[in-house]
Amino acid sequence: MSENESKSKRRIILHIDMNAFYCSVHAAEEPDVYKGKPTAVAGSVELRKGILVTSSYEARAQGIRTGMTVRQAQAICPELILISPNFDLYRKYSRGFLRIVGNYTPLVEAVSIDECFLDITGSSQFGTPIEIAQTIARRVKEELSLPCSIGIAPNKLLAKMASDMRKPDAITILRRREVPNLLWGKPCQTLYGIGSRTADKLLRLNIRTIGDLAASDEKMLMERFGVYGNWMKRAANGMDDSPVEPLHEAPKSIGHTTTLPADLTEKDQYRRVMLNLADQTTRRLRHQRMVCTTVQITIRDPDMRTITRSSTIATPTESADDVYRVACRLMDAHWKEGSPVRLLGITLQGLTPKEETPLQLDLFSYEENPKKERLTNAMDILRDKYGEDAVLTAGMLGDDPSTLIRNKKLRGTSLQKDFLRDKSVNSENDY
């Protein structure tokens, strides 16, 4: 046994997965309205072609699934309650559960807004691994009114697999010696990290189950899949040496990725996603009063193959319009239309404080820039006051790229009138 494998064997890793997170947050905020009822969060609840992002377990029991259109879901479950997303609220609860788990170890790796890994190898002062998991689950329920599933294992891979075994609101232990009995009979695609296309390729090699994969010839797998083949064989045998990697310092970039409910293949589909990502990342950039000089995109296909491409821009910016144009140009240059996309992301790099950054004015747009900045500031104020979905662009909904005010509370306010008056400064490329 190698030194790395010996260390991995001694580790105790937890994977915490917040169950039906978005819907659970709404139920925690307004239990009289949502708790115990079939609910779903949809990107565009007003549009029957809108896609469900997630659903409550009560809705899932009636056949509702992520990726359905609103029309399909309402046909299956007429009493389904549709909710517009509130990302500020989700981030608030995400910080809450990360604060709780951080009391038991400094080794916390947040992998998304609703899940994280903990290395509790050195946390025995808080009890046994099962006692620590039970304490965390109890506190999350008592303090946040949220359910979670927790996997306990000697490595991150098995901890993730364990948390997926029983949902909602469960704690599961998965030891390496239990892998043959509990995992080897399952299809390859159920192994975390193996997508449908890779599973299809394995099937053509007569590798149908995780057990088949565990017993496969490593040389053959590496000839067919490269280093990924070596990883698959090790994973099928329950082996994973990857460490829990906490964030120790302030980030030097601002990024956001989204796993899509269904694979995208068309240009107008991924451009709509890029518009949303550019909007979210630049809003966070402006809140921190920073500007960026580099835009990086992340693309992942259904087989978990991931590429990143970046471009440096001449003038530092905080504009979603600028970031969107660069992201689309990178996507067009490095992704063939028709190829499936599973995950997209935008990361802003080369950050500097806005007050300390000299901005070069364009000869043809210097008069327009202050007006556009006032418009952006007005939109940020509306969102700060009324929530993220108070102002959206029509491009995000699939229509003409002009700005929309959606929150009925805003009608007649002086801020809205200012916003509409400044709307005239928009160029055809304004978001």
Side-chain angles (χ1 to χ4, degrees), residues 132-193:
I132 294 173
Q134 289 171 338
T135 300
I136 290 173
R138 175 181 53 77
R139 287 191 59 187
V140 168
K141 179 163 287 188
E142 289 178 354
E143 298 175 29
L144 302 175
S145 299
L146 296 179
C148 65
S149 291
I150 302 179
I152 307 174
N155 59 52
K156 291 167 67 174
L157 171 73
L158 294 185
K160 169 66 175 174
M161 297 290 289
S163 69
D164 286 339
M165 285 181 172
R166 292 192 300 144
K167 291 183 177 181
D169 208 15
I171 298 173
T172 305
I173 300 174
L174 180 58
R175 304 170 180 87
R176 256 199 75 192
R177 65 174 180 269
E178 297 170 327
V179 167
N181 184 45
L182 296 179
L183 298 185
W184 279 4
K186 297 180 180 294
C188 290
Q189 194 173 342
T190 60
L191 185 63
Y192 179 64

Side-chain angles (χ1 to χ4, degrees), residues 321-332:
D321 190 25
D322 294 340
V323 170
Y324 171 67
R325 282 199 299 267
V326 174
C328 287
R329 186 170 66 244
L330 287 168
M331 189 78 180
D332 292 344

